[in-house]
Amino acid sequence: MPGLYTGDFAAAKIFLGLAFTGFSLFWTGMAWWITGQAGLPLLFRLFPLFGVPFVLIGLRILGVGGVWRAYERRYTWYTLTNRRAFIATALPLLKRSLKSWPIAPTTEIEFDGNTPGTLIFAYENRGQHGKTPKPIGFIRLPDPLPVLRLMHQTRKRQMI
């Protein structure tokens, strides 16, 4: 289900993100202003660029990731067959992707119990050295219970 989801934003993270982003913007702006004086070597004029990563980190803490997830959901489609779950993504100006995961008898299906609801059926390793598991599933389905029943039926059929 597209749209912003308040679960993607936490109040404490927003306050921390505002403080971090605000300070890093202030620092970068002041560094830009100070090094903008005439006669400084090129190396000194590049100094404000060191603040850009901190601005980006602050924006991430602030919740830009939640906005990105909402945008991504808008261009994502889910399909369930009698053997596999498919997730197709077609973000404008970016590469299209189609990935699939088997629904086997051993597949664990996690349901968050909400409406709209999320069904997680796999994990991918990501992060440094692949240690951070990323949940894979059908995110914010408007009516998740029929899909959950179909997934359980698919698992049972695979046992036979």
Side-chain angles (χ1 to χ4, degrees), residues 22-138:
F23 179 77
S24 58
L25 283 171
F26 171 77
W27 187 91
T28 304
M30 291 304 291
W32 200 270
W33 181 70
I34 291 169
T35 59
Q37 308 300 322
L40 288 176
L42 176 64
L43 183 61
F44 287 106
R45 286 186 279 157
L46 294 176
F47 187 67
L49 296 177
F50 288 105
V52 172
F54 295 99
V55 172
L56 295 175
I57 291 168
L59 290 173
R60 176 152 172 96
I61 294 169
L62 188 57
V64 172
V67 173
W68 175 256
R69 284 187 292 279
Y71 178 74
E72 199 173 36
R73 281 192 301 269
R74 181 181 181 136
Y75 296 100
T76 300
W77 295 268
Y78 304 123
T79 303
L80 180 65
T81 69
N82 62 352
R83 294 179 190 259
R84 303 186 77 74
F86 292 87
I87 300 176
T89 307
L91 295 169
L93 305 176
L94 296 175
K95 185 178 177 183
R96 294 178 179 191
S97 74
L98 176 63
K99 295 183 179 179
S100 71
W101 292 265
I103 304 297
T106 57
T107 301
E108 292 185 29
I109 302 167
E110 301 171 26
F111 174 44
D112 65 1
N114 297 326
T115 300
T118 297
L119 302 172
I120 303 297
F121 48 80
Y123 286 90
E124 280 185 347
N125 292 329
R126 67 175 186 174
Q128 188 176 15
H129 308 294
K131 293 182 181 177
T132 306
K134 175 187 175 191
I136 304 297
F138 298 161

Side-chain angles (χ1 to χ4, degrees), residues 134-145:
K134 175 187 175 191
I136 304 297
F138 298 161
I139 310 298
R140 294 191 43 77
L141 295 172
D143 191 9
L145 292 178

